[in-house]
Amino acid sequence: FFEKTAGEGAGGPVSFLQVSAPSGAAYTTSQGTNTVVKLMEDIFGELKNSREAAQQEEVAAKHEYDMLKQSMEHELHSLEEAKADKSDEISENSNRVSQAKSQINDELKTLQQSETYLEDVREQCKTKAQEYKERQEVRGSEMKAIDGAVDALKSEKMKQAEQRKEASFAQQP
């Protein structure tokens, strides 16, 4: 690859690094100088173009990065606002839940008191029903006694006794 052909060296192929540099006269021609200068100018132009392209790529990449950063910051801000809204909503719901639990506890106490009262009223109703039944029985026996007394008063014997009484009242002045 870096070797000269066999015709160029005395003993066959020679390494490129073993070849001596041409004499100073080889560089003194105007055509050679222009070629080197032209080559250097071309290399400089390519480097300049390459540098400008790299700078443009860097500016485009920075712009893309800035846009991505701005988009992500906006998204982060939106998410933080949504998080704050959800936190407020959770707080409100927690308050509602605690109020509902308190109300349920109050209602359960009221229910327990109502059930106790209902049991007391049922017991009173049983007692009053028993007392009423007893009074009805007493009243029934009293009614039978009264009916018996009325029948006895209406009986013939009583009528006769009454007539005698009336006669005895009539004879007295």
Side-chain angles (χ1 to χ4, degrees):
F1 172 54
F2 289 110
E3 295 178 355
K4 290 188 176 184
T5 59
E8 294 181 337
V14 179
S15 167
F16 180 71
L17 295 175
Q18 291 175 346
V19 175
S20 63
S23 66
Y27 292 112
T28 59
T29 65
S30 65
Q31 183 181 6
T33 306
N34 285 339
T35 306
V36 172
V37 170
K38 176 88 169 129
L39 180 65
M40 293 301 284
E41 287 175 351
D42 288 346
I43 292 172
F44 180 74
E46 286 178 19
L47 287 174
K48 184 177 178 183
N49 289 340
S50 175
R51 186 175 133 222
E52 287 174 359
Q55 285 176 339
Q56 288 176 351
E57 286 178 17
E58 186 177 343
V59 167
K62 183 177 182 331
H63 177 70
E64 185 178 333
Y65 168 78
D66 289 341
M67 294 302 288
L68 179 63
K69 180 181 174 185
Q70 182 181 7
S71 172
M72 289 185 161
E73 286 174 347
H74 178 70
E75 185 177 350
L76 178 64
H77 180 71
S78 296
L79 290 173
E80 287 174 347
E81 286 179 352
K83 179 185 173 188
D85 291 345
K86 292 295 180 183
S87 293
D88 292 344
E89 189 176 324
I90 287 171
S91 177
E92 289 174 10
N93 287 340
S94 294
N95 287 338
R96 286 184 197 147
V97 166
S98 65
Q99 288 175 352
K101 284 181 179 180
S102 175
Q103 188 176 6
I104 287 172
N105 287 336
D106 291 345
E107 293 299 323
L108 286 174
K109 287 177 185 176
T110 302
L111 176 64
Q112 186 178 14
Q113 290 171 349
S114 295
E115 287 175 345
T116 303
Y117 177 73
L118 178 62
E119 195 61 36
D120 291 344
V121 168
R122 283 184 179 158
E123 196 63 38
Q124 289 174 1
C125 285
K126 269 186 181 178
T127 304
K128 294 207 184 252
Q130 184 65 29
E131 290 173 356
Y132 178 76
K133 185 177 178 183
E134 290 172 1
R135 283 194 312 263
Q136 287 293 83
E137 290 174 1
V138 169
R139 210 173 287 130
S141 63
E142 287 176 351
M143 289 299 283
K144 284 181 184 178
I146 291 173
D147 286 342
V150 168
D151 287 342
L153 289 175
K154 289 182 179 179
S155 70
E156 285 297 320
K157 291 183 182 180
M158 286 303 279
K159 285 184 184 179
Q160 291 171 0
E162 253 182 55
Q163 288 173 356
R164 279 188 243 153
K165 224 183 196 183
E166 286 178 8
S168 67
F169 284 122
Q171 292 176 358
Q172 288 180 350

